[in-house]
Amino acid sequence: MWRFRLFPDQASTTARQVDLLYFGLLLISAFYVLVVFAPLFYFSIKYRRGSKANRVNPSRGSFAIEMTWTIIPTFMSLGLFAWGATVYYHMERPPADALQVQVVGKQWMWKLQHSEGKREINELHIPLGQSVRLTMTSQDVIHSFFIPAFRVKQDVVPGRYTTEWFKPTRLGEYHLFCAEFCGTKHSGMIGRVVVMEPNEYQKWLSTGDVGDPVVVAGQRLFTQLGCSGCHENPGGNNAIRAPHLEGIFGKPVPLQTGEIVTADERYIRDSILMPQAQIAAGYENLMPTFKGRISEEELLQIIEYIKSLSNALPAPAGANGTTR
Ligand code: CUA
């Protein structure tokens, strides 16, 4: 049977907040439409040409009315601003316990990888009731990762990382769209999000082709590409050619120029692709660029590895022997 529905399912914690705000805006707009148009219709009929309405005392204006229709809408707008800002603040701050999923957009597909190593294309499997944080980038043009049922949409931009998070509240399958025109097959850049019971999800994670966890893959690349040759100094007595990366993530880094930047995902990415651009204070410009030698997926894996070196939590036993 054909069902007409104005709204997609509300399947995340954000969905309800976004819809409430939307209905709030709609209601207030309806109120003002009424306040403006009801008197307009009334007066246009009452004072139409030829009517016998009394026109002897035209209004001289009223200070009280002027103040009322200035002050009340001002506070209503400020209230809307505060409401919208609160929802936005919530949407922009992923909870610390969120699952990490990496997303790379390209013409015309979504490539995703869970931190446990499992990869997917155009599909995202997630457990019910668990926050999920996506770290996203594009390897060609701008895309936009849109899950209507979760009310989340975020541009995915080449050369930088954007994030999006959500907490699914309902089991089921939901649409995943690219919401930014990205070329001839943009309309085919679609997929689905599957919300599963947490134990089902755990089972799913370990079935089929399971790769190495992202951090392990990142560590392997770190060695293969030769990063460890300069950034790790196991002997402890060589001249240090490059900064140690343990504990660096999220910390301020003084640069040669005297500037101080934060070692976030973007900084690490730029340091790998354009090492000459921002040289850490006290070091020489020695590092070669890895531009063209490393894929977006590999970059994300190395960044996850470097992040893992900064986790305050004890490293899993036997995870690696090179960190101090
Ligand atoms: Cu990718 Cu539209």
Side-chain angles (χ1 to χ4, degrees), residues 33 57 63 99 102 129 139 153 181 188 216 219 227 239 249 251 262 266 280 285 295 297 310 318 320 322:
V33 168
N57 275 324
F63 184 72
L99 288 183
Q102 303 182 339
Q139 66 181 62
K153 183 199 272 175
F181 181 70
V216 174
Q219 183 179 21
C227 319
F249 190 79
K251 298 279 157 51
T262 303
R266 177 181 199 135
N285 180 5
S295 71
E297 281 94 342
S310 304
N320 62 72
T322 51

Side-chain angles (χ1 to χ4, degrees), residues 93-103 112-120 124-127 130-136 161-166 201 204-205 213-215 249 265 300 303-305 307-308 311:
R93 268 157 195 74
D97 67 343
L99 288 183
Q100 304 284 331
V101 179
Q102 303 182 339
V103 179
L112 301 100
Q113 187 172 24
H114 296 250
S115 52
E116 290 82 356
K118 184 107 174 174
R119 292 169 187 278
E120 332 188 49
L124 172 60
H125 289 74
I126 47 173
Q130 164 73 54
S131 303
V132 178
R133 176 181 192 260
L134 310 180
T135 303
M136 308 187 291
Y161 295 116
T162 52
T163 61
E164 174 170 296
W165 81 274
F166 40 79
Y201 172 74
W204 174 85
L205 268 184
V214 169
V215 169
F249 190 79
E265 284 149 339
L300 279 162
I303 291 171
E304 281 311 305
Y305 169 62
K307 273 162 113 173
S308 77
N311 284 345

Side-chain angles (χ1 to χ4, degrees), residues 106 108 110 141-144 178-183 186-187 189:
K106 62 169 273 192
W108 287 275
W110 295 109
V141 299
I142 300 180
H143 304 276
S144 179
C178 176
E180 186 75 52
F181 181 70
C182 56
H186 155 72
S187 62
M189 197 168 163

Side-chain angles (χ1 to χ4, degrees), residues 33-271:
V33 168
L34 218 67
V35 164
V36 172
F37 281 90
L40 192 147
F41 279 119
Y42 171 74
F43 290 127
S44 58
I45 291 167
K46 182 174 180 189
Y47 293 106
R48 70 190 183 279
R49 191 160 69 169
S51 81
K52 303 263 182 306
N54 177 3
R55 290 178 169 87
V56 291
N57 275 324
S59 168
R60 300 266 180 273
S62 152
F63 184 72
I65 290 177
E66 292 281 353
M67 287 321 279
T68 312
W69 72 35
T70 305
I71 290 170
I72 292 177
T74 301
F75 280 100
M76 283 172 92
S77 319
L78 286 175
L80 283 176
F81 166 73
W83 188 1
T86 312
V87 174
Y88 182 76
Y89 189 88
H90 170 81
M91 290 171 75
E92 285 298 299
R93 268 157 195 74
D97 67 343
L99 288 183
Q100 304 284 331
V101 179
Q102 303 182 339
V103 179
V104 177
K106 62 169 273 192
Q107 289 169 322
W108 287 275
M109 66 167 81
W110 295 109
K111 298 185 284 183
L112 301 100
Q113 187 172 24
H114 296 250
S115 52
E116 290 82 356
K118 184 107 174 174
R119 292 169 187 278
E120 332 188 49
I121 286 181
N122 293 341
E123 290 201 350
L124 172 60
H125 289 74
I126 47 173
L128 180 70
Q130 164 73 54
S131 303
V132 178
R133 176 181 192 260
L134 310 180
T135 303
M136 308 187 291
T137 191
S138 163
Q139 66 181 62
D140 38 45
V141 299
I142 300 180
H143 304 276
S144 179
F145 198 93
F146 181 30
I147 310 172
F150 293 174
R151 309 291 190 274
V152 289
K153 183 199 272 175
Q154 171 65 53
D155 275 8
V156 176
V157 184
R160 59 174 288 191
Y161 295 116
T162 52
T163 61
E164 174 170 296
W165 81 274
F166 40 79
K167 186 174 185 172
T169 53
R170 280 173 62 171
L171 294 172
E173 287 185 16
Y174 304 100
H175 288 296
L176 159 63
F177 293 114
C178 176
E180 186 75 52
F181 181 70
C182 56
T184 49
K185 292 186 188 148
H186 155 72
S187 62
M189 197 168 163
I190 53 177
R192 59 182 190 141
V193 178
V194 183
V195 182
M196 315 166 88
E197 291 287 1
N199 53 347
E200 296 279 313
Y201 172 74
Q202 286 307 325
K203 252 184 266 166
W204 174 85
L205 268 184
S206 55
T207 51
D209 189 14
V210 184
D212 285 325
V214 169
V215 169
V216 174
Q219 183 179 21
R220 193 171 50 232
L221 283 166
F222 195 76
T223 311
Q224 274 171 6
L225 293 168
C227 319
S228 54
C230 296
H231 286 284
E232 282 174 2
N233 188 16
N237 47 9
N238 303 334
I240 299 169
R241 287 190 289 171
H244 286 311
L245 303 176
E246 290 86 14
I248 201 176
F249 190 79
K251 298 279 157 51
V253 179
L255 301 182
Q256 249 179 15
T257 54
E259 235 183 308
I260 293 181
V261 295
T262 303
D264 54 8
E265 284 149 339
R266 177 181 199 135
Y267 172 74
I268 296 172
R269 180 200 170 87
D270 289 351
S271 300

